[in-house]
Amino acid sequence: MKVVQTVKAPQAIGPYSQGIIVNNMFYSSGQIPLTAEGDLITGTIQEETHQVFKNLEAVLQEAGASLQSVVKTTVFLSDMNDFAAFNEVYSEYFTSNKPARSCVQVARLPKDVKVEIEVIALVQ
C-alpha cells in the first residue's frame, strides 16, 4: 500500500490521505472545490466542479494515473437540481473514457460545498 500526497491539491482537512494505491489501483479521497492553497471556491456548480477536477488531476498525476485511467467515479451533490449543469462540466473531462459512475444527493458536504468527487483509477 502506498500513500499518495501532493502539494498541487488541497491538503486533507481530516485524518485521511489524498489517496492510496493498492495493487496498481488508485483510490482517491473525495475532492471538494478547495484550491491547493486551501482557498474555498464558491460559486456555481460549474465553477466548483472545475476546481474539483483540477484537484483530481493533481492527485491522479502524483499517483501515476490520469483521468483516462479512471474506472469509477462517485459524485456527491448537495442539490440534484444541479445534475444537468454538473454533467455539462463532467463531460468536458471524460470525453472518450466514460468511467462507471454513481451520483447521489446528500444532505450536506464538507464546508457546505455543492459537489464532491472521488475516483478509482488504474495506475499505469
Side-chain angles (χ1 to χ4, degrees), residues 30-121:
Q31 291 293 318
I32 63 173
L34 280 174
T35 66
E37 297 76 31
D39 298 320
L40 185 62
I41 300 298
T42 56
T44 66
I45 186 68
Q46 295 94 331
E47 292 167 324
E48 289 194 16
T49 302
H50 280 297
Q51 182 60 50
V52 168
F53 272 102
K54 286 180 188 175
N55 298 340
L56 288 170
E57 287 175 322
V59 294
L60 283 162
Q61 180 180 14
E62 185 68 23
S66 68
L67 288 175
Q68 289 69 44
S69 65
V70 171
V71 296
K72 173 75 165 75
T73 66
T74 305
V75 178
F76 306 95
L77 297 175
S78 63
D79 185 349
M80 199 55 85
N81 290 318
D82 288 333
F83 186 73
F86 164 80
N87 267 337
E88 288 177 22
V89 175
Y90 184 93
S91 66
E92 293 176 29
Y93 292 91
F94 293 113
T95 54
S96 59
N97 171 42
K98 294 178 175 36
R101 181 179 89 177
S102 301
C103 183
V104 296
Q105 178 176 313
V106 295
R108 192 171 181 200
L109 289 166
K111 298 191 176 283
D112 294 317
V113 300
K114 293 177 174 69
V115 60
E116 180 174 0
I117 303 172
E118 60 186 41
V119 299
I120 300 171

Side-chain angles (χ1 to χ4, degrees), residues 2 4 20-21 26 58-66 122-124:
K2 177 183 174 191
V4 174
I20 299 287
I21 298 171
F26 171 68
V59 294
L60 283 162
Q61 180 180 14
E62 185 68 23
S66 68
L122 181 63
V123 176
Q124 300 168 341

